[in-house]
Amino acid sequence: MQTISRWLAPPWRRSIAATLAGALPVLAFPEPGLWWLAYVALVPWIALLRSAPTGRRAVYDGWWGGFGFMLAMHHWLLPNLHVFTFVIAALLGALWAPWGRLVRHFLAASPSPGRVAAALVVLPSGWLLIELVRSWQGLGGPWGVLGSSQWQVEPALRLASVGGVWLIGFLVVAVNVAVAVLVTVRRARVPAVAGLLATAVAASAAWVWSPRPQVEDRVRIAAVQPGVIQGADKADRRFDREEQLTRRLVGQDVDLIVWGESSVGYDLRDRPDFARRLAALSRETGANILVNVDARRSDKPGIYKSSILVGPDGPTGARYDKMRLVPFGEYIPLRSLLGWATSVGEAAAEDRRRGTEQVVMAAGHGLRIGPMVCFESAFSDMSRNLVDGGAEVLIAQSATSTFQQSWAPEQHASLAALRAAETGRPMMHATLTGVSAVYGPSGERIGSWLSTSTSTSAVYEVPLADGVTPYVRFGEWPVLAALLIIAAWGAGEGVRTLRARLRRPAPEPRVPPVRTTHGSPARPGR
């Protein structure tokens, strides 16, 4: 340990080590998918933070670690945003600066068992609040929330039905803190082991207590994935390919057909020929078609991304306009200040317009669906609101053609498993290009993924479930609990500081020195 401490003495080496340590948890997410690594991936970073020589250095180590995490999580943006990716990572990484100071406060030197016990609750709460702040759509949204790395772990999905991805994240960080203490603080192993046992008990209780979704019926939903279409006339050629793939579904008794994001490149009012072709497809297949129009609207100014339901007689009138846009990809935050991003990367030249409310659609055959567009599937509150509104199936229409060869398509598709588990409702992630996937009401995979290189249509037997999960009923209660924990800790620290000041003896009054008859100060003892 002393050798490591000496090596880390120069500040630049600590910064590099913090950046690498912060990037380590990304390996738990798809595409590497080392989900088990999430439970120990924060340990090197925590060990580095507790060894910081000063609180100020811990702040820097927290910032550098946050920078490494954000850069690694969004590295696939580099070919498009170039240097601006580093700017975004640095800005968002600053959110972990206070957390670095917090880790050092609790775990530096040789912490007492009581301080370690408090750390097992306060540090995960602090992490959760960081994720809450960065989940704001204006800061990029909740892409790469730590709990979402557990999307394929059945016990974790059961936890999601109780407290959403937030509860998973809290327990994952708590395990990392406990393991870090076991490795670095010998005298505090008892509370660390107790923390691990408490985490196991909480997970087991959720497994036993949380209600299982009751499957009531099944519907057949088809996803149409045309794949990458290039060329100047790609909007027309893409539509032709989607039409061809949809005709393969004739006679397959499907209840709904879903096309991906930006599957129609023209407003259907401006192109009635497209609307007629879609209506003909609906008549031939016997199912309504949910398309996604990415175009300038004819009835109001601006470009919208809209989920539109088309039936045998044309558009049914059911329409959802995307509400949460991708920063820089679909709009530039503070364009007057950050508009220069368009000169260094492929940022949005024109801001798309936002919708104003979520919509639950009657999709035919008695089926009610809740559409979302693209990275809206990362926002757990949106899927919860749709289920509250009566949605039986959640649907995300997406496209990741720009990032086909990166980790992004797999990461995006995995989010639907968490949304399904949280709400107890099945979810389809249907892509124009990318990875299409379907998950049952417990987050279990239905059928196989359609890979990034696939151009096909596929039918899925989707189970419909009844009942209300604790997460849908109570919402983001782990976040509220984290806020209360941090507030209680802050109040306690304030009270302790005040008491210490009150107990401090008052300084003795300064007595002026006695002067002799010659005017010189008298010396003591004379």
Side-chain angles (χ1 to χ4, degrees):
M1 293 296 292
Q2 292 180 351
T3 302
I4 295 176
S5 299
R6 285 196 297 269
W7 189 86
L8 291 173
W12 66 270
R13 286 182 178 173
R14 290 193 67 92
S15 298
I16 292 174
T19 302
L20 295 176
L24 186 61
V26 175
L27 298 177
F29 293 80
E31 178 175 333
L34 305 177
W35 62 267
W36 50 267
L37 184 63
Y39 295 92
V40 294
L42 296 179
V43 172
W45 191 7
I46 293 172
L48 183 71
L49 292 169
R50 70 173 294 272
S51 70
T54 64
R56 184 176 183 179
R57 184 62 237 185
V59 168
Y60 289 143
D61 291 345
W63 192 339
W64 278 108
F67 169 76
F69 181 71
M70 287 288 95
L71 183 62
M73 183 58 67
H74 299 90
H75 72 276
W76 39 269
L77 289 173
L78 282 168
N80 300 88
L81 294 183
H82 307 305
V83 68
F84 206 79
T85 309
F86 292 92
V87 176
I88 295 172
L91 292 174
L92 293 177
L95 294 173
W96 276 270
W99 192 75
R101 180 68 177 265
L102 202 61
V103 170
R104 185 182 185 276
H105 172 81
F106 279 100
L107 301 182
S110 183
S112 66
R115 187 169 287 274
V116 170
L120 291 170
V121 179
V122 177
L123 295 183
S125 297
W127 184 281
L128 227 59
L129 296 188
I130 294 169
E131 294 194 326
L132 175 65
V133 172
R134 78 178 185 89
S135 292
W136 178 47
Q137 186 262 328
L139 291 179
W143 191 278
V145 170
L146 189 59
S148 61
S149 65
Q150 306 302 295
W151 66 276
Q152 55 185 329
V153 182
E154 188 176 354
L157 292 173
R158 191 69 58 81
L159 285 172
S161 72
V162 176
V165 72
W166 308 104
L167 181 58
I168 303 174
F170 184 96
L171 294 179
V172 168
V173 177
V175 170
N176 274 275
V177 173
V179 173
V181 170
L182 285 174
V183 172
T184 61
V185 188
R186 292 184 177 181
R187 61 174 290 187
R189 286 179 176 176
V190 171
V193 172
L196 290 174
L197 290 175
T199 303
V201 169
S204 300
W207 179 271
V208 173
W209 172 70
S210 61
R212 274 68 164 177
Q214 298 298 316
V215 175
E216 300 291 335
D217 198 2
R218 294 181 181 272
V219 292
R220 290 170 60 81
I221 303 179
V224 174
Q225 180 174 304
V228 178
I229 306 292
Q230 302 290 352
D233 58 345
K234 63 181 180 181
D236 294 270
R237 293 174 56 225
R238 180 187 300 126
F239 192 94
D240 293 341
R241 179 59 177 161
E242 290 163 332
E243 187 177 36
Q244 178 187 22
L245 294 173
T246 303
R247 283 211 164 85
R248 296 181 183 178
L249 301 170
V250 174
Q252 296 197 40
D253 192 28
V254 294
D255 297 291
L256 177 68
I257 300 169
V258 182
W259 289 12
E261 178 189 12
S262 304
S263 48
V264 179
Y266 304 97
D267 188 287
L268 292 177
R269 295 187 183 186
D270 289 337
R271 292 295 300 266
D273 55 324
F274 276 19
R276 287 193 296 269
R277 290 164 67 180
L278 286 168
L281 288 173
S282 177
R283 291 191 296 269
E284 292 173 31
T285 57
N288 288 345
I289 305 173
L290 184 70
V291 301
N292 187 268
V293 175
D294 183 1
R296 195 173 301 278
R297 288 181 62 161
S298 58
D299 58 336
K300 59 175 63 175
I303 301 173
Y304 288 80
K305 280 192 176 180
S306 306
S307 300
I308 297 177
L309 194 65
V310 180
D313 301 319
T316 64
R319 179 187 190 117
Y320 165 66
D321 296 324
K322 185 178 182 181
M323 297 171 61
R324 297 182 181 173
L325 305 177
V326 179
F328 300 99
E330 294 172 338
Y331 82 105
I332 295 182
L334 303 173
R335 182 176 285 272
S336 60
L337 180 64
L338 301 177
W340 59 270
T342 58
S343 63
V344 297
E346 299 177 16
E350 177 183 350
D351 291 350
R352 282 173 169 76
R353 304 298 179 92
R354 303 175 190 273
T356 56
E357 61 181 358
Q358 292 185 262
V359 177
V360 175
M361 300 179 180
H365 302 280
L367 180 65
R368 292 174 63 80
I369 62 172
M372 292 173 281
V373 183
C374 193
F375 97 134
E376 288 183 330
S377 65
F379 294 88
S380 55
D381 65 307
M382 296 194 74
S383 54
R384 177 173 173 261
N385 291 338
L386 288 169
V387 171
D388 260 343
E392 298 171 286
V393 177
L394 300 170
I395 294 175
Q397 296 172 293
S398 178
T400 53
S401 56
T402 307
F403 312 108
Q404 288 292 87
Q405 307 306 319
S406 72
W407 295 353
E410 286 78 10
Q411 287 181 10
H412 200 179
S414 69
L415 296 174
L418 290 155
R419 304 292 86 84
E422 288 169 341
T423 60
R425 297 294 183 270
M427 183 165 181
M428 168 178 278
H429 180 84
T431 64
L432 188 73
T433 62
V435 170
S436 294
V438 178
Y439 301 93
S442 294
E444 74 279 14
R445 186 185 298 186
I446 303 295
S448 59
W449 280 11
L450 302 183
S451 68
T452 55
S453 59
T454 301
S455 176
T456 189
S457 55
V459 180
Y460 296 87
E461 292 277 349
V462 180
L464 301 181
D466 199 6
V468 180
T469 65
Y471 172 72
V472 170
R473 178 167 293 158
F474 301 114
E476 283 79 8
W477 64 265
V479 176
L480 178 59
L483 283 167
L484 293 175
I485 290 170
I486 293 295
W489 169 76
E493 287 293 303
V495 169
R496 279 190 290 273
T497 301
L498 181 60
R499 285 178 177 175
R501 289 181 177 178
L502 291 176
R503 290 174 180 172
R504 188 181 304 164
E508 296 183 3
R510 297 184 61 183
V511 179
V514 178
R515 295 184 175 273
T516 65
T517 55
H518 299 287
S520 301
R523 295 181 182 179
R526 286 195 176 184

